[in-house]
Amino acid sequence: MLVSVFAVALLASGAAAQNATTDIGTLNKQSAEKVFPSKPLYSPYAGRNFPTRPLFGDTHLHTAASFDAGAFGARLGPRDALRFARGEEVMASSGQPAKLSRPLDFLVVTDHSDNMGFFPDLFAGKPELLADSTGKKWYDQIKSGKGAEAAIEIITAFSDGTFPKDLIYAPDTRSYKAAWQDNIAAAEQYNEPRRFTAFIGYEWTSNTGGNNLHRNVIFRDNGDRASQIVPFTTMAPLGSDNPRELWKWMATYEQKTGGSVLAIAHNGNLSNGRMFPIIESFTGRPVDKEYVEQRAKWERLVEATQTKGDGETHPLLSPNDEFANFERWDFGNLDGSVKKTNDMLEFEYARSALKNGLKLEKQLGTNPYKFGMVGSSDAHTGLSAMEEDNFFGKTTPQEPSPERMTATFIDNAKTGVKVMDWQVSSSGYAAVWATENTREALWDAMQRKETYATTGPRMVVRFFGGWNFDQADAQTRSPAMVGYTKGVPMGGNLSRAPAGKAPTFLVAALRDPIGANLDRIQIVKGWLDAKGDTQERVYDVVWGGDRKPGPDGKLPPVGNTVDVQNAIWTNTIGAPELISVWTDPNFDASQPAFYYARVLEIPTPRWTAYDAKRYGTKPLPGTPMIITERAYTSPIWYTPGT
């Protein structure tokens, strides 16, 4: 815009308060008042364009198109999975009807990129596979009632690198491309903008040495762009098990198609210290500038809870956190081939990664672990059924039956690592604050990290940070209106602390309408102290009932109404909703920090209690029958001097 010499003179004289002259004329107060409202609109909702409700879904689900899911007995394909997520009743692979209590809002079918489509073709007796002697052997085993033997051989052969080369579905083969196109076609068929979103996606499954470095890759785009490529695999020469190579593939996809893609890491607890490194496992050297920049760019979220255990934190990492011991899987790596040691834990859990990210940012200028949080299922059944009273397991053998509470999930005779089916978690879902239910809006919200993880219940959680929230802001039925006006939402950043001020946080939660009351909302803070060491603290912010913290500062337990024998509870304790404004009492403007909210429900029956009631199964010693469901928001970060 050009400004005239006359306008400059007016500015110098102070006359610009009434008039402003540009190359399109002079604007004065009277003419401006004609085009701008002279008083606020009556409706506070008119013109609102921020997200008004969370959308719940699953960003991590496998169908029979994943060779391991198929070998384990899954017969449901991507279309069955999408129909189920939309609220339809389907027949599970175990031959029993299944339906959600309420439809989900979105789903990402993330079948494994390696060998995608192999098992359905083998099961169907595809001639090319039967022409191979091993393929014919496996097919005959399946058809003669020895499918279990075939499945074990298939999984073992792929895991130890002895899978017949002629049977591998490599990305450059016609069969692989057909499987990928079918995945895309299913998502296109069931995607209904503003009603139900079916994303296109896949899982990249790096598992070298049994150490889990898996990522789910989610496209913002429709099939016209996703069809221009094939997924990245882990097998050389067309693939790699190194995340750096996955990030290069993602960059190539965006450059080639003009599309957008992100990756979500999961199950750091099964990586044996490799998921959130300071020392990179592939090189043995400290992570460098390229690593931190690329990871921060492509991996915006972390799957913090799922069927293979919760990934928020661990009691040894957070000894002062009374709720840290939750649904833990800390036995070893993914296949149990290497036992867990305590020194691995720091590089496996979300909270310690968030803390180490502050340290790496100070060293390298970029925080690679500045991620938001989601939950998802990782079910290999085609069924995103993660409700405690409607849990269809992780794999088809774990679908509802009298035997699953006493069956074995992993048993590695060499290392002694043994995991029971009762240790599988009924978790979780991703909650996304999107402006509408479309691929674009949901993906954009994931990209900006306006998300939270839930272990299953569909509680509504708001979290805003700023410098000027006060208690009056908690006396509202629309916390988002003041939240977006005075602060930033979950996933956001705070900087330039005003002199003498500490950050304030507006946090609110509303229980799942058909779920349990809320126990409390906590804010978890992590920071880098003056010595450069990482610290953490958990604050109870608001809670249900008339409890008061004791002399030790601890809030008394909310109580427990669970009747385990009958698998019921009552909402006579806790609160249906909680909201408050909290100010950090220990803020130091010179120290980088992050804050996230953790919302806890009152105790409720775990899926094991429902199974014991329905089937009359006697639980094994140590089987938990009660659970404290929860949600974790994406953090809000504070960065000094920016």
PDB file of all heavy atoms in Angstrom, residues 115 118 121-122 125-141 153-154 157 162-169:
ATOM      1  N   ASN A 115       4.554 -55.991   3.075  1.00  0.00           N
ATOM      2  CA  ASN A 115       3.731 -57.150   2.706  1.00  0.00           C
ATOM      3  C   ASN A 115       2.233 -56.851   2.726  1.00  0.00           C
ATOM      4  O   ASN A 115       1.418 -57.749   2.968  1.00  0.00           O
ATOM      5  CB  ASN A 115       4.041 -58.351   3.591  1.00  0.00           C
ATOM      6  CG  ASN A 115       4.859 -59.397   2.858  1.00  0.00           C
ATOM      7  OD1 ASN A 115       5.455 -59.131   1.816  1.00  0.00           O
ATOM      8  ND2 ASN A 115       4.897 -60.595   3.396  1.00  0.00           N
ATOM      9  N   PHE A 118      -0.716 -59.344   1.427  1.00  0.00           N
ATOM     10  CA  PHE A 118      -0.262 -60.718   1.200  1.00  0.00           C
ATOM     11  C   PHE A 118      -1.234 -61.758   1.755  1.00  0.00           C
ATOM     12  O   PHE A 118      -1.627 -62.694   1.055  1.00  0.00           O
ATOM     13  CB  PHE A 118       1.126 -60.930   1.821  1.00  0.00           C
ATOM     14  CG  PHE A 118       1.523 -62.380   1.936  1.00  0.00           C
ATOM     15  CD1 PHE A 118       1.967 -63.074   0.838  1.00  0.00           C
ATOM     16  CD2 PHE A 118       1.418 -63.065   3.152  1.00  0.00           C
ATOM     17  CE1 PHE A 118       2.317 -64.419   0.932  1.00  0.00           C
ATOM     18  CE2 PHE A 118       1.760 -64.403   3.256  1.00  0.00           C
ATOM     19  CZ  PHE A 118       2.212 -65.084   2.142  1.00  0.00           C
ATOM     20  N   ASP A 121      -4.582 -62.519  -0.016  1.00  0.00           N
ATOM     21  CA  ASP A 121      -4.357 -63.235  -1.276  1.00  0.00           C
ATOM     22  C   ASP A 121      -4.003 -64.693  -1.030  1.00  0.00           C
ATOM     23  O   ASP A 121      -4.431 -65.592  -1.773  1.00  0.00           O
ATOM     24  CB  ASP A 121      -3.251 -62.555  -2.078  1.00  0.00           C
ATOM     25  CG  ASP A 121      -3.720 -61.276  -2.758  1.00  0.00           C
ATOM     26  OD1 ASP A 121      -4.933 -60.981  -2.705  1.00  0.00           O
ATOM     27  OD2 ASP A 121      -2.871 -60.574  -3.335  1.00  0.00           O
ATOM     28  N   LEU A 122      -3.198 -64.957   0.015  1.00  0.00           N
ATOM     29  CA  LEU A 122      -2.872 -66.339   0.344  1.00  0.00           C
ATOM     30  C   LEU A 122      -4.122 -67.093   0.769  1.00  0.00           C
ATOM     31  O   LEU A 122      -4.373 -68.227   0.330  1.00  0.00           O
ATOM     32  CB  LEU A 122      -1.829 -66.382   1.466  1.00  0.00           C
ATOM     33  CG  LEU A 122      -1.447 -67.786   1.966  1.00  0.00           C
ATOM     34  CD1 LEU A 122      -0.708 -68.552   0.877  1.00  0.00           C
ATOM     35  CD2 LEU A 122      -0.589 -67.699   3.232  1.00  0.00           C
ATOM     36  N   GLY A 125      -6.146 -68.141  -2.049  1.00  0.00           N
ATOM     37  CA  GLY A 125      -5.544 -69.084  -2.974  1.00  0.00           C
ATOM     38  C   GLY A 125      -5.125 -68.470  -4.288  1.00  0.00           C
ATOM     39  O   GLY A 125      -5.302 -69.076  -5.358  1.00  0.00           O
ATOM     40  N   LYS A 126      -4.519 -67.292  -4.236  1.00  0.00           N
ATOM     41  CA  LYS A 126      -4.088 -66.628  -5.459  1.00  0.00           C
ATOM     42  C   LYS A 126      -3.045 -67.506  -6.173  1.00  0.00           C
ATOM     43  O   LYS A 126      -2.084 -67.960  -5.562  1.00  0.00           O
ATOM     44  CB  LYS A 126      -3.492 -65.268  -5.126  1.00  0.00           C
ATOM     45  CG  LYS A 126      -3.239 -64.393  -6.333  1.00  0.00           C
ATOM     46  CD  LYS A 126      -2.795 -62.994  -5.910  1.00  0.00           C
ATOM     47  CE  LYS A 126      -2.573 -62.114  -7.127  1.00  0.00           C
ATOM     48  NZ  LYS A 126      -2.154 -60.739  -6.737  1.00  0.00           N
ATOM     49  N   PRO A 127      -3.226 -67.765  -7.489  1.00  0.00           N
ATOM     50  CA  PRO A 127      -2.339 -68.706  -8.207  1.00  0.00           C
ATOM     51  C   PRO A 127      -0.861 -68.382  -8.092  1.00  0.00           C
ATOM     52  O   PRO A 127      -0.025 -69.298  -7.964  1.00  0.00           O
ATOM     53  CB  PRO A 127      -2.815 -68.581  -9.658  1.00  0.00           C
ATOM     54  CG  PRO A 127      -4.245 -68.169  -9.551  1.00  0.00           C
ATOM     55  CD  PRO A 127      -4.315 -67.280  -8.346  1.00  0.00           C
ATOM     56  N   GLU A 128      -0.491 -67.101  -8.146  1.00  0.00           N
ATOM     57  CA  GLU A 128       0.922 -66.739  -8.067  1.00  0.00           C
ATOM     58  C   GLU A 128       1.555 -67.210  -6.758  1.00  0.00           C
ATOM     59  O   GLU A 128       2.740 -67.569  -6.716  1.00  0.00           O
ATOM     60  CB  GLU A 128       1.103 -65.224  -8.195  1.00  0.00           C
ATOM     61  CG  GLU A 128       0.712 -64.669  -9.542  1.00  0.00           C
ATOM     62  CD  GLU A 128      -0.726 -64.189  -9.588  1.00  0.00           C
ATOM     63  OE1 GLU A 128      -1.603 -64.878  -9.011  1.00  0.00           O
ATOM     64  OE2 GLU A 128      -0.977 -63.124 -10.176  1.00  0.00           O
ATOM     65  N   LEU A 129       0.780 -67.198  -5.676  1.00  0.00           N
ATOM     66  CA  LEU A 129       1.306 -67.627  -4.388  1.00  0.00           C
ATOM     67  C   LEU A 129       1.351 -69.148  -4.281  1.00  0.00           C
ATOM     68  O   LEU A 129       2.272 -69.710  -3.682  1.00  0.00           O
ATOM     69  CB  LEU A 129       0.462 -67.039  -3.256  1.00  0.00           C
ATOM     70  CG  LEU A 129       0.423 -65.512  -3.178  1.00  0.00           C
ATOM     71  CD1 LEU A 129      -0.473 -65.048  -2.042  1.00  0.00           C
ATOM     72  CD2 LEU A 129       1.834 -64.941  -2.995  1.00  0.00           C
ATOM     73  N   LEU A 130       0.368 -69.815  -4.874  1.00  0.00           N
ATOM     74  CA  LEU A 130       0.352 -71.274  -4.824  1.00  0.00           C
ATOM     75  C   LEU A 130       1.419 -71.888  -5.722  1.00  0.00           C
ATOM     76  O   LEU A 130       1.777 -73.067  -5.559  1.00  0.00           O
ATOM     77  CB  LEU A 130      -1.029 -71.797  -5.229  1.00  0.00           C
ATOM     78  CG  LEU A 130      -2.208 -71.325  -4.364  1.00  0.00           C
ATOM     79  CD1 LEU A 130      -3.474 -72.071  -4.738  1.00  0.00           C
ATOM     80  CD2 LEU A 130      -1.914 -71.499  -2.884  1.00  0.00           C
ATOM     81  N   ALA A 131       1.945 -71.099  -6.670  1.00  0.00           N
ATOM     82  CA  ALA A 131       3.014 -71.594  -7.539  1.00  0.00           C
ATOM     83  C   ALA A 131       4.330 -71.749  -6.785  1.00  0.00           C
ATOM     84  O   ALA A 131       5.232 -72.464  -7.242  1.00  0.00           O
ATOM     85  CB  ALA A 131       3.195 -70.650  -8.728  1.00  0.00           C
ATOM     86  N   ASP A 132       4.443 -71.098  -5.632  1.00  0.00           N
ATOM     87  CA  ASP A 132       5.628 -71.231  -4.791  1.00  0.00           C
ATOM     88  C   ASP A 132       5.394 -72.366  -3.795  1.00  0.00           C
ATOM     89  O   ASP A 132       4.317 -72.478  -3.201  1.00  0.00           O
ATOM     90  CB  ASP A 132       5.881 -69.914  -4.056  1.00  0.00           C
ATOM     91  CG  ASP A 132       7.118 -69.966  -3.184  1.00  0.00           C
ATOM     92  OD1 ASP A 132       6.983 -70.370  -2.009  1.00  0.00           O
ATOM     93  OD2 ASP A 132       8.189 -69.602  -3.669  1.00  0.00           O
ATOM     94  N   SER A 133       6.389 -73.192  -3.604  1.00  0.00           N
ATOM     95  CA  SER A 133       6.201 -74.374  -2.749  1.00  0.00           C
ATOM     96  C   SER A 133       5.860 -73.997  -1.312  1.00  0.00           C
ATOM     97  O   SER A 133       5.011 -74.645  -0.674  1.00  0.00           O
ATOM     98  CB  SER A 133       7.464 -75.242  -2.778  1.00  0.00           C
ATOM     99  OG  SER A 133       8.589 -74.504  -2.317  1.00  0.00           O
ATOM    100  N   THR A 134       6.501 -72.949  -0.802  1.00  0.00           N
ATOM    101  CA  THR A 134       6.192 -72.528   0.568  1.00  0.00           C
ATOM    102  C   THR A 134       4.789 -71.926   0.634  1.00  0.00           C
ATOM    103  O   THR A 134       4.039 -72.191   1.589  1.00  0.00           O
ATOM    104  CB  THR A 134       7.224 -71.510   1.073  1.00  0.00           C
ATOM    105  OG1 THR A 134       8.524 -72.065   0.976  1.00  0.00           O
ATOM    106  CG2 THR A 134       6.950 -71.129   2.518  1.00  0.00           C
ATOM    107  N   GLY A 135       4.443 -71.132  -0.355  1.00  0.00           N
ATOM    108  CA  GLY A 135       3.101 -70.564  -0.404  1.00  0.00           C
ATOM    109  C   GLY A 135       2.044 -71.653  -0.463  1.00  0.00           C
ATOM    110  O   GLY A 135       1.007 -71.579   0.211  1.00  0.00           O
ATOM    111  N   LYS A 136       2.298 -72.685  -1.273  1.00  0.00           N
ATOM    112  CA  LYS A 136       1.355 -73.807  -1.385  1.00  0.00           C
ATOM    113  C   LYS A 136       1.253 -74.547  -0.056  1.00  0.00           C
ATOM    114  O   LYS A 136       0.156 -74.939   0.383  1.00  0.00           O
ATOM    115  CB  LYS A 136       1.839 -74.765  -2.476  1.00  0.00           C
ATOM    116  CG  LYS A 136       0.921 -75.967  -2.697  1.00  0.00           C
ATOM    117  CD  LYS A 136      -0.410 -75.553  -3.290  1.00  0.00           C
ATOM    118  CE  LYS A 136      -1.169 -76.744  -3.874  1.00  0.00           C
ATOM    119  NZ  LYS A 136      -1.439 -77.804  -2.910  1.00  0.00           N
ATOM    120  N   LYS A 137       2.379 -74.710   0.611  1.00  0.00           N
ATOM    121  CA  LYS A 137       2.378 -75.389   1.916  1.00  0.00           C
ATOM    122  C   LYS A 137       1.525 -74.620   2.919  1.00  0.00           C
ATOM    123  O   LYS A 137       0.685 -75.209   3.610  1.00  0.00           O
ATOM    124  CB  LYS A 137       3.809 -75.515   2.419  1.00  0.00           C
ATOM    125  CG  LYS A 137       3.920 -76.012   3.865  1.00  0.00           C
ATOM    126  CD  LYS A 137       5.332 -75.831   4.393  1.00  0.00           C
ATOM    127  CE  LYS A 137       5.406 -76.108   5.879  1.00  0.00           C
ATOM    128  NZ  LYS A 137       6.742 -75.796   6.448  1.00  0.00           N
ATOM    129  N   TRP A 138       1.739 -73.297   2.991  1.00  0.00           N
ATOM    130  CA  TRP A 138       0.966 -72.490   3.933  1.00  0.00           C
ATOM    131  C   TRP A 138      -0.526 -72.523   3.600  1.00  0.00           C
ATOM    132  O   TRP A 138      -1.366 -72.612   4.487  1.00  0.00           O
ATOM    133  CB  TRP A 138       1.479 -71.049   3.925  1.00  0.00           C
ATOM    134  CG  TRP A 138       2.815 -70.885   4.593  1.00  0.00           C
ATOM    135  CD1 TRP A 138       3.399 -71.748   5.479  1.00  0.00           C
ATOM    136  CD2 TRP A 138       3.733 -69.807   4.420  1.00  0.00           C
ATOM    137  NE1 TRP A 138       4.625 -71.259   5.882  1.00  0.00           N
ATOM    138  CE2 TRP A 138       4.849 -70.067   5.254  1.00  0.00           C
ATOM    139  CE3 TRP A 138       3.718 -68.643   3.662  1.00  0.00           C
ATOM    140  CZ2 TRP A 138       5.936 -69.212   5.336  1.00  0.00           C
ATOM    141  CZ3 TRP A 138       4.806 -67.775   3.741  1.00  0.00           C
ATOM    142  CH2 TRP A 138       5.902 -68.057   4.559  1.00  0.00           C
ATOM    143  N   TYR A 139      -0.843 -72.447   2.329  1.00  0.00           N
ATOM    144  CA  TYR A 139      -2.248 -72.476   1.911  1.00  0.00           C
ATOM    145  C   TYR A 139      -2.896 -73.804   2.307  1.00  0.00           C
ATOM    146  O   TYR A 139      -4.014 -73.834   2.848  1.00  0.00           O
ATOM    147  CB  TYR A 139      -2.339 -72.260   0.403  1.00  0.00           C
ATOM    148  CG  TYR A 139      -3.750 -72.366  -0.139  1.00  0.00           C
ATOM    149  CD1 TYR A 139      -4.644 -71.300  -0.021  1.00  0.00           C
ATOM    150  CD2 TYR A 139      -4.193 -73.539  -0.756  1.00  0.00           C
ATOM    151  CE1 TYR A 139      -5.937 -71.397  -0.506  1.00  0.00           C
ATOM    152  CE2 TYR A 139      -5.487 -73.649  -1.249  1.00  0.00           C
ATOM    153  CZ  TYR A 139      -6.356 -72.573  -1.121  1.00  0.00           C
ATOM    154  OH  TYR A 139      -7.634 -72.668  -1.598  1.00  0.00           O
ATOM    155  N   ASP A 140      -2.198 -74.909   2.051  1.00  0.00           N
ATOM    156  CA  ASP A 140      -2.751 -76.220   2.398  1.00  0.00           C
ATOM    157  C   ASP A 140      -2.948 -76.356   3.906  1.00  0.00           C
ATOM    158  O   ASP A 140      -3.930 -76.963   4.371  1.00  0.00           O
ATOM    159  CB  ASP A 140      -1.826 -77.329   1.893  1.00  0.00           C
ATOM    160  CG  ASP A 140      -1.836 -77.452   0.373  1.00  0.00           C
ATOM    161  OD1 ASP A 140      -2.782 -76.932  -0.259  1.00  0.00           O
ATOM    162  OD2 ASP A 140      -0.892 -78.058  -0.169  1.00  0.00           O
ATOM    163  N   GLN A 141      -2.016 -75.816   4.682  1.00  0.00           N
ATOM    164  CA  GLN A 141      -2.168 -75.859   6.136  1.00  0.00           C
ATOM    165  C   GLN A 141      -3.433 -75.116   6.568  1.00  0.00           C
ATOM    166  O   GLN A 141      -4.197 -75.593   7.416  1.00  0.00           O
ATOM    167  CB  GLN A 141      -0.942 -75.244   6.813  1.00  0.00           C
ATOM    168  CG  GLN A 141       0.305 -76.105   6.774  1.00  0.00           C
ATOM    169  CD  GLN A 141       1.505 -75.401   7.375  1.00  0.00           C
ATOM    170  OE1 GLN A 141       1.719 -74.221   7.141  1.00  0.00           O
ATOM    171  NE2 GLN A 141       2.303 -76.131   8.152  1.00  0.00           N
ATOM    172  N   GLU A 153       4.451 -69.864  11.337  1.00  0.00           N
ATOM    173  CA  GLU A 153       5.565 -69.918  10.384  1.00  0.00           C
ATOM    174  C   GLU A 153       5.697 -68.608   9.617  1.00  0.00           C
ATOM    175  O   GLU A 153       6.809 -68.114   9.385  1.00  0.00           O
ATOM    176  CB  GLU A 153       5.358 -71.083   9.412  1.00  0.00           C
ATOM    177  CG  GLU A 153       5.592 -72.448  10.012  1.00  0.00           C
ATOM    178  CD  GLU A 153       5.534 -73.549   8.964  1.00  0.00           C
ATOM    179  OE1 GLU A 153       5.769 -73.247   7.776  1.00  0.00           O
ATOM    180  OE2 GLU A 153       5.259 -74.705   9.329  1.00  0.00           O
ATOM    181  N   ILE A 154       4.571 -68.028   9.212  1.00  0.00           N
ATOM    182  CA  ILE A 154       4.591 -66.784   8.438  1.00  0.00           C
ATOM    183  C   ILE A 154       5.164 -65.641   9.271  1.00  0.00           C
ATOM    184  O   ILE A 154       6.038 -64.899   8.818  1.00  0.00           O
ATOM    185  CB  ILE A 154       3.163 -66.447   7.949  1.00  0.00           C
ATOM    186  CG1 ILE A 154       2.731 -67.451   6.876  1.00  0.00           C
ATOM    187  CG2 ILE A 154       3.090 -65.025   7.403  1.00  0.00           C
ATOM    188  CD1 ILE A 154       1.253 -67.377   6.542  1.00  0.00           C
ATOM    189  N   ALA A 157       8.929 -66.265   9.952  1.00  0.00           N
ATOM    190  CA  ALA A 157       9.758 -66.071   8.758  1.00  0.00           C
ATOM    191  C   ALA A 157       9.965 -64.602   8.456  1.00  0.00           C
ATOM    192  O   ALA A 157      11.076 -64.177   8.104  1.00  0.00           O
ATOM    193  CB  ALA A 157       9.115 -66.773   7.566  1.00  0.00           C
ATOM    194  N   THR A 162      13.653 -64.700   6.990  1.00  0.00           N
ATOM    195  CA  THR A 162      13.701 -65.887   6.136  1.00  0.00           C
ATOM    196  C   THR A 162      12.466 -66.032   5.264  1.00  0.00           C
ATOM    197  O   THR A 162      12.240 -67.084   4.664  1.00  0.00           O
ATOM    198  CB  THR A 162      13.866 -67.152   6.996  1.00  0.00           C
ATOM    199  OG1 THR A 162      12.735 -67.278   7.887  1.00  0.00           O
ATOM    200  CG2 THR A 162      15.148 -67.094   7.811  1.00  0.00           C
ATOM    201  N   PHE A 163      11.671 -64.975   5.159  1.00  0.00           N
ATOM    202  CA  PHE A 163      10.462 -65.017   4.335  1.00  0.00           C
ATOM    203  C   PHE A 163      10.873 -65.218   2.875  1.00  0.00           C
ATOM    204  O   PHE A 163      11.765 -64.529   2.367  1.00  0.00           O
ATOM    205  CB  PHE A 163       9.697 -63.705   4.488  1.00  0.00           C
ATOM    206  CG  PHE A 163       8.246 -63.772   4.125  1.00  0.00           C
ATOM    207  CD1 PHE A 163       7.292 -64.089   5.068  1.00  0.00           C
ATOM    208  CD2 PHE A 163       7.825 -63.512   2.820  1.00  0.00           C
ATOM    209  CE1 PHE A 163       5.944 -64.139   4.752  1.00  0.00           C
ATOM    210  CE2 PHE A 163       6.486 -63.567   2.483  1.00  0.00           C
ATOM    211  CZ  PHE A 163       5.542 -63.880   3.449  1.00  0.00           C
ATOM    212  N   PRO A 164      10.259 -66.174   2.159  1.00  0.00           N
ATOM    213  CA  PRO A 164      10.651 -66.436   0.761  1.00  0.00           C
ATOM    214  C   PRO A 164      10.564 -65.180  -0.103  1.00  0.00           C
ATOM    215  O   PRO A 164       9.543 -64.495  -0.114  1.00  0.00           O
ATOM    216  CB  PRO A 164       9.632 -67.489   0.307  1.00  0.00           C
ATOM    217  CG  PRO A 164       9.196 -68.157   1.565  1.00  0.00           C
ATOM    218  CD  PRO A 164       9.194 -67.087   2.619  1.00  0.00           C
ATOM    219  N   LYS A 165      11.635 -64.904  -0.828  1.00  0.00           N
ATOM    220  CA  LYS A 165      11.680 -63.681  -1.628  1.00  0.00           C
ATOM    221  C   LYS A 165      10.567 -63.625  -2.665  1.00  0.00           C
ATOM    222  O   LYS A 165      10.028 -62.553  -2.957  1.00  0.00           O
ATOM    223  CB  LYS A 165      13.045 -63.559  -2.305  1.00  0.00           C
ATOM    224  CG  LYS A 165      14.188 -63.277  -1.337  1.00  0.00           C
ATOM    225  CD  LYS A 165      15.509 -63.088  -2.078  1.00  0.00           C
ATOM    226  CE  LYS A 165      16.639 -62.775  -1.105  1.00  0.00           C
ATOM    227  NZ  LYS A 165      17.941 -62.593  -1.807  1.00  0.00           N
ATOM    228  N   ASP A 166      10.221 -64.773  -3.239  1.00  0.00           N
ATOM    229  CA  ASP A 166       9.198 -64.789  -4.281  1.00  0.00           C
ATOM    230  C   ASP A 166       7.798 -64.514  -3.743  1.00  0.00           C
ATOM    231  O   ASP A 166       6.869 -64.268  -4.520  1.00  0.00           O
ATOM    232  CB  ASP A 166       9.205 -66.139  -4.999  1.00  0.00           C
ATOM    233  CG  ASP A 166      10.454 -66.335  -5.847  1.00  0.00           C
ATOM    234  OD1 ASP A 166      11.108 -65.315  -6.165  1.00  0.00           O
ATOM    235  OD2 ASP A 166      10.772 -67.493  -6.174  1.00  0.00           O
ATOM    236  N   LEU A 167       7.647 -64.556  -2.421  1.00  0.00           N
ATOM    237  CA  LEU A 167       6.334 -64.305  -1.818  1.00  0.00           C
ATOM    238  C   LEU A 167       6.207 -62.895  -1.253  1.00  0.00           C
ATOM    239  O   LEU A 167       5.116 -62.495  -0.846  1.00  0.00           O
ATOM    240  CB  LEU A 167       6.062 -65.320  -0.709  1.00  0.00           C
ATOM    241  CG  LEU A 167       5.957 -66.790  -1.124  1.00  0.00           C
ATOM    242  CD1 LEU A 167       5.646 -67.658   0.088  1.00  0.00           C
ATOM    243  CD2 LEU A 167       4.906 -66.992  -2.209  1.00  0.00           C
ATOM    244  N   ILE A 168       7.303 -62.175  -1.200  1.00  0.00           N
ATOM    245  CA  ILE A 168       7.266 -60.834  -0.619  1.00  0.00           C
ATOM    246  C   ILE A 168       6.479 -59.894  -1.524  1.00  0.00           C
ATOM    247  O   ILE A 168       6.721 -59.830  -2.735  1.00  0.00           O
ATOM    248  CB  ILE A 168       8.688 -60.292  -0.396  1.00  0.00           C
ATOM    249  CG1 ILE A 168       9.377 -61.089   0.725  1.00  0.00           C
ATOM    250  CG2 ILE A 168       8.665 -58.803  -0.033  1.00  0.00           C
ATOM    251  CD1 ILE A 168      10.830 -60.713   0.938  1.00  0.00           C
ATOM    252  N   TYR A 169       5.549 -59.178  -0.953  1.00  0.00           N
ATOM    253  CA  TYR A 169       4.807 -58.148  -1.676  1.00  0.00           C
ATOM    254  C   TYR A 169       5.585 -56.836  -1.550  1.00  0.00           C
ATOM    255  O   TYR A 169       5.373 -56.052  -0.637  1.00  0.00           O
ATOM    256  CB  TYR A 169       3.399 -57.993  -1.102  1.00  0.00           C
ATOM    257  CG  TYR A 169       2.377 -58.956  -1.676  1.00  0.00           C
ATOM    258  CD1 TYR A 169       2.744 -60.221  -2.102  1.00  0.00           C
ATOM    259  CD2 TYR A 169       1.035 -58.592  -1.786  1.00  0.00           C
ATOM    260  CE1 TYR A 169       1.809 -61.103  -2.622  1.00  0.00           C
ATOM    261  CE2 TYR A 169       0.096 -59.461  -2.309  1.00  0.00           C
ATOM    262  CZ  TYR A 169       0.490 -60.728  -2.727  1.00  0.00           C
ATOM    263  OH  TYR A 169      -0.440 -61.595  -3.255  1.00  0.00           O
TER     264      TYR A 169
END
